[in-house]
Amino acid sequence: MDKQVRIGIDVGGTYTDGIVIDNHSGEIIAKEKVLTTHYSKAGVAAGITQILNKIMTENNISPQEVVFIAHGTTQATNALLEGDVAPVGIIGIGESKRAEQETRIENIELAQGRYLRVSHEFIHLKDLNNHTINEAIDKLIEAGAQVIVASAAYSVENPEYELQVIECAKERGLYATSGHEISELYGLRVRTRTSVINASLIPKMMETAYMTETVIKEVGIKSELMIMRADGGVMSLKEVRKRPILTMLSGLAAGVAGALMYGKITEGIFLEIGGTSIDISVIKDGKVMVKNASVGNYKTYIKSLDIRTLAIAGGTMVRVNDNEIVDVGPRSAHLAKKDYECFISKTPHEIKVKHISPMKDDPGDYVIAEIEDGSTYAFTLAGAANALGIIPEDDYAYASGQNARLFWKELGKKYGKTSKEMATEVLKRASEKVWATIEDLIEEYELDKDFLTLIGGGGSASVLTTFLAKQNGVKYDIIENAPYISTIGVAMAMVRERIERSVVNPNTDDIKKIRNDILNKIVSMGALEETVEISVEVDTQKHILITTAMGATEFKQQDLFTIKLAEEEIQSKVAEAMGVDTSNLVKVGEAGNFYGYSVEMKSKGWLHLFNKKKKIIVIVNDEGVILQRKTDSFIAVTTKGELRETLKNLTEEHSSYSVSGQNIPSVYLYCKGRTFDYSGLVSVRQILPIIDIDFNYMENNEKVMILLVKK
């Protein structure tokens, strides 16, 4: 088989990381770092050039062998944080005073003292023509606008007025965008605001996109450059030019994408721990939880991964006051411009504990160590973990325990404690802060603590993950290649798209249309149609249809470096994950490369006096990856030819009824290496026509496994 590789580049604040992955085996061929070139004439693209030349030359990779290349960037996020955005002019269109008010967006405060500047003109629909549009553009340019936003009432149903404005602006050489391009949801004010934020990023992102694209072409790579999105997928440069806002917060999403694709995590809490902060996210049923992103305390219609960030990480410093540890963080050694005490290259002979204020206006109780030559070092969480000897020798965060203990011995001595007591107390303080956030996520997403696994990623994964899990009695795992998981996530990310559309009482045709629209959209973005998986959800309260699609560019997701296991090995993996013996497993279904098992578990009652039994249904594939773990569920196996009738009968049997009518269970189907998620649909009438489309290409005798889960 010809050599084919995937390249991922992660442009960070300090370093630009590059990774090369074999497209067939999944083996990591190379990983490199260079300093991010913020101040180069070519901007961050210069660093991309450096890293591409390095990894391709040193590993004898020809441009023709690169079948996928993507990069993650913090540029949109940084631009918003730093206020480095273009002034925006809005042309509102409508027939009422309310439309004028809803499209009038005030300046948006991005950070203290930093604003996105917005100007506004309104044209009544009866007066809309090219002359009035150009007059409005003149006034907006005079007010300083560099990008035009067209926002019309009801444009999600009829975008022609917005398109007319965009055409006029483009004829004058201006960047322009509109509300309907960003969202198909009603809510003129939020749609307009989201479009304004998007528009403000276009000039900067266009400049970088052009430079980066030029770099790729100069190297000779023919594959289209893909960019990381905030929801964990990738998008083409063509899409970035229209919707740069989708890359906002994408730096946080790359690590989770790595956990899903490379680590094949289907359930757990993912902790990406760096030197300055920890990013915490929930993976459930093989998906990462999402929410609406906010900018400057304003809600937008952009979906991003629900990632909670805390200033707790490997480099987090310690605060001591009145002989007591008063806090851990939020400042890090990096911000204080100090090296970590555990990574000192020589053995110190004299250590003095001192206090500092890392940054202006910080309290002066952060502890540091000064050695005999006058150099100073921060006491850090990484140092505490190394002093306790809990980091494996082959780990990225490992340092000599001997040197770490010397520092922590002096710190403990100053406050009347042993080094072990001091280091343990510091890790406990940090763990309590992180666990409080994890508990919120457990409650919010209704996770079962009995099966909870903490998955550690990032360079400091081992600093806190193991200690945190043991402190709270849950399972843990350090993901392979943890320090590079974000860059791996970029290299392996799937093309992703999401459409949210306001539809009152959607019928079958509405569902078919939105499904067809997203399929066409994601294929136009570079995904291979045969790899695309689509889920549709009906939000009956908000009258919204939501569809999400994911697809691959050059490989089938399920074929990527798969290692198929014997059934005995699969059973062992399921038993280990559930904490039971294999004799407790009962096989209840099989279809293609999917297996279903029933597991009877005991759950502890009040004061451990009353033990309750519960039955868990587990869906696992032939790689031993657990895809679903559900209570109140049922499995059946049928064929494609009998699927419609079987599903109708089973959903009727397992439905509940209330004053609002029939409540069908969530429906998942497994067949021929693919998962079909219909859990977002609320009636069998909605599901059956979609099944006809999804299963059209299959033979009637093809086995299908049905999982029904009580809602």
Side-chain angles (χ1 to χ4, degrees):
M1 191 178 285
D2 293 339
K3 180 178 175 184
Q4 292 183 331
V5 301
R6 304 172 69 83
I7 294 178
I9 299 166
D10 190 29
V11 182
T14 305
Y15 288 101
T16 295
D17 294 353
I19 201 155
V20 182
I21 296 176
D22 186 289
N23 193 52
H24 303 299
S25 69
E27 176 192 357
I28 294 175
I29 297 170
K31 43 196 177 189
E32 293 287 350
K33 288 178 183 284
V34 299
L35 287 169
T36 298
T37 52
H38 292 294
Y39 305 109
S40 165
K41 244 183 206 180
V44 297
I48 294 173
T49 302
Q50 290 173 26
I51 211 154
L52 273 177
N53 287 331
K54 188 174 177 63
I55 57 180
M56 292 180 70
T57 302
E58 291 181 2
N59 296 280
N60 298 316
I61 297 167
S62 71
Q64 293 73 31
E65 291 168 335
V66 180
V67 296
F68 179 89
I69 180 165
H71 89 81
T73 174
T74 58
Q75 185 156 19
T77 306
N78 292 344
L80 291 169
L81 289 173
E82 295 162 9
D84 186 14
V85 292
V88 175
I90 304 167
I91 295 180
I93 306 159
E95 296 181 288
S96 67
K97 190 70 177 174
R98 181 172 180 180
E100 181 175 1
Q101 291 169 344
E102 294 286 286
T103 58
R104 187 182 295 279
I105 305 297
E106 302 299 326
N107 292 340
I108 298 172
E109 186 172 16
L110 303 172
Q112 190 170 5
R114 294 174 181 168
Y115 290 87
L116 192 174
R117 305 289 174 186
V118 186
S119 47
H120 177 266
E121 291 292 325
F122 185 78
I123 304 174
H124 195 283
L125 193 55
K126 64 180 174 59
D127 300 322
L128 186 73
N129 55 55
N130 285 2
H131 177 70
T132 56
I133 291 171
N134 279 299
E135 279 188 336
I137 291 174
D138 287 337
K139 290 176 183 176
L140 294 172
I141 292 173
E142 192 177 333
Q146 295 175 11
V147 188
I148 302 300
V149 164
S151 187
Y154 306 109
S155 64
V156 294
E157 296 173 1
N158 180 8
E160 66 172 294
Y161 309 123
E162 290 185 350
L163 292 172
Q164 187 178 353
V165 172
I166 289 174
E167 190 60 35
C168 287
K170 287 184 175 178
E171 284 176 3
R172 299 180 59 168
L174 293 167
Y175 292 121
T177 186
S178 63
H180 81 276
E181 291 179 305
I182 299 300
S183 174
E184 295 185 32
L185 295 178
Y186 293 136
L188 185 55
R189 178 170 291 278
V190 180
R191 194 167 70 243
T192 305
R193 185 189 301 126
T194 307
S195 301
V196 165
I197 296 166
N198 180 66
S200 74
L201 295 166
I202 290 176
K204 188 83 175 175
M205 293 297 286
M206 285 287 284
E207 181 185 346
T208 302
Y210 174 75
M211 287 181 177
T212 308
E213 192 175 38
T214 301
V215 166
I216 302 302
K217 287 179 179 174
E218 285 175 351
V219 172
I221 294 172
K222 303 296 183 190
S223 293
E224 184 177 12
L225 177 67
M226 308 297 281
I227 308 296
M228 200 78 194
R229 291 166 48 126
D231 57 11
V234 288
M235 61 197 295
S236 65
L237 270 181
K238 177 183 170 186
E239 286 297 316
V240 172
R241 289 181 177 118
K242 289 194 295 185
R243 298 183 291 169
I245 193 172
L246 295 184
T247 69
M248 183 179 68
L249 305 176
S250 65
L252 304 181
V256 191
L260 286 168
M261 295 293 296
Y262 181 72
K264 298 187 177 178
I265 306 298
T266 55
E267 188 150 324
I269 292 185
F270 180 61
L271 313 172
E272 186 166 11
I273 313 172
T276 304
S277 63
I278 178 172
D279 297 326
I280 309 170
S281 52
V282 171
I283 299 173
K284 189 176 181 182
D285 298 340
K287 301 171 187 172
V288 189
M289 303 300 102
V290 298
K291 64 177 182 180
N292 282 84
S294 295
V295 174
N297 296 320
Y298 292 106
K299 175 187 168 186
T300 72
Y301 276 152
I302 298 303
K303 291 290 182 182
S304 68
L305 302 188
D306 186 0
I307 297 176
R308 315 288 169 91
T309 300
L310 301 175
I312 297 285
T316 301
M317 295 174 68
V318 180
R319 292 176 56 197
V320 182
N321 205 332
D322 292 332
N323 291 345
E324 293 291 333
I325 297 170
V326 295
D327 205 354
V328 180
R331 296 296 179 224
S332 67
H334 167 72
L335 289 171
K337 298 182 180 175
K338 304 290 180 191
D339 290 329
Y340 295 24
E341 81 286 33
C342 54
F343 296 129
I344 188 171
S345 57
K346 56 190 175 184
T347 301
H349 299 292
E350 184 183 342
I351 300 171
K352 293 179 182 175
V353 176
K354 296 190 170 185
H355 291 83
I356 65 163
S357 300
M359 300 184 75
K360 187 183 176 184
D361 299 328
D362 280 347
D365 54 12
Y366 285 85
V367 287
I368 62 166
E370 182 180 86
I371 65 172
E372 60 273 7
D373 64 2
S375 55
T376 55
Y377 300 84
F379 285 96
T380 63
L381 285 185
N386 277 294
L388 292 174
I390 62 176
I391 299 182
E393 284 191 27
D394 60 351
D395 193 89
Y396 184 83
Y398 174 78
S400 164
Q402 180 183 352
N403 279 348
R405 281 189 293 275
L406 283 175
F407 280 96
W408 283 80
K409 180 181 177 182
E410 288 303 315
L411 184 62
K413 189 192 296 182
K414 184 174 176 68
Y415 301 112
K417 297 179 181 178
T418 66
S419 63
K420 183 177 180 180
E421 287 171 337
M422 203 73 181
T424 301
E425 190 174 338
V426 164
L427 282 175
K428 278 184 177 177
R429 283 293 189 99
S431 294
E432 286 166 4
K433 294 173 86 168
V434 174
W435 187 253
T437 297
I438 290 174
E439 284 190 312
D440 289 343
L441 290 169
I442 290 171
E443 183 178 351
E444 185 173 341
Y445 291 109
E446 300 178 344
L447 304 179
D448 190 334
K449 195 179 169 186
D450 288 342
F451 304 124
L452 185 65
T453 301
L454 304 184
I455 302 110
S460 298
S462 294
V463 170
L464 201 56
T465 308
T466 309
F467 188 91
L468 179 65
K470 289 180 177 177
Q471 279 287 112
N472 294 283
V474 297
K475 296 190 284 291
Y476 71 92
D477 187 26
I478 305 297
I479 205 163
E480 190 180 354
N481 283 300
Y484 302 95
I485 197 64
S486 282
T487 318
I488 292 169
V490 175
M492 297 179 65
M494 307 281 279
V495 184
R496 183 179 174 99
E497 186 55 282
R498 181 184 179 99
I499 296 175
E500 294 186 346
R501 182 174 292 166
S502 293
V503 183
V504 178
N505 298 323
N507 57 32
T508 299
D509 288 340
D510 294 322
I511 293 170
K512 282 183 175 179
K513 184 176 189 315
I514 197 170
R515 188 191 179 283
N516 187 61
D517 289 348
I518 202 168
L519 177 62
N520 291 337
K521 180 75 172 174
I522 199 168
V523 169
S524 74
M525 291 166 64
L528 298 176
E529 184 171 347
E530 63 268 29
T531 71
V532 175
E533 293 192 357
I534 299 171
S535 66
V536 181
E537 178 184 348
V538 179
D539 189 327
T540 53
Q541 290 186 323
K542 296 180 181 176
H543 303 294
I544 296 173
L545 268 180
I546 304 162
T547 181
T548 305
M550 287 190 73
T553 53
E554 292 293 337
F555 69 93
K556 292 185 180 178
Q557 181 182 3
Q558 61 269 26
D559 291 342
L560 185 66
F561 63 96
T562 57
I563 301 171
K564 299 189 187 326
L565 304 179
E567 192 168 347
E568 295 77 17
E569 294 175 287
I570 292 169
Q571 290 175 357
S572 295
K573 281 189 170 288
V574 172
E576 182 184 352
M578 303 299 289
V580 299
D581 190 83
T582 52
S583 60
N584 290 82
L585 304 183
V586 178
K587 185 176 172 183
V588 289
E590 178 183 351
N593 64 321
F594 299 104
Y595 298 84
Y597 292 97
S598 174
V599 188
E600 195 169 86
M601 308 276 296
K602 286 182 180 178
S603 60
K604 292 173 182 173
W606 181 66
L607 294 179
H608 303 268
L609 297 176
F610 305 102
N611 288 333
K612 296 179 180 179
K613 289 183 178 180
K614 58 181 178 181
K615 189 177 76 172
I616 311 290
I617 294 293
V618 178
I619 305 291
V620 60
N621 65 16
D622 57 6
E623 299 171 69
V625 177
I626 292 177
L627 307 173
Q628 296 274 17
R629 215 166 3 193
K630 299 290 187 184
T631 56
D632 295 323
S633 52
F634 174 82
I635 276 186
V637 177
T638 185
T639 62
K640 184 253 181 168
E642 297 177 348
L643 178 57
R644 272 179 139 264
E645 197 60 33
T646 303
L647 193 60
K648 279 195 286 188
N649 293 335
L650 287 175
T651 50
E652 180 73 30
E653 182 183 340
H654 291 273
S655 289
S656 60
Y657 293 85
S658 65
V659 290
S660 58
Q662 182 183 16
N663 301 309
I664 69 165
S666 295
V667 176
Y668 304 87
L669 303 182
Y670 303 88
C671 178
K672 213 171 182 178
R674 292 186 67 185
T675 300
F676 301 88
D677 180 354
Y678 304 111
S679 60
L681 299 177
V682 296
S683 74
V684 178
R685 279 199 321 277
Q686 293 174 345
I687 295 174
L688 293 179
I690 306 303
I691 284 178
D692 292 341
I693 298 169
D694 288 340
F695 285 75
N696 183 51
Y697 69 97
M698 293 184 194
E699 299 293 332
N700 279 336
N701 62 357
E702 192 74 52
K703 275 189 175 181
V704 183
M705 188 158 62
I706 302 170
L707 172 66
L708 303 180
V709 182
K710 185 178 178 181
K711 288 181 181 175

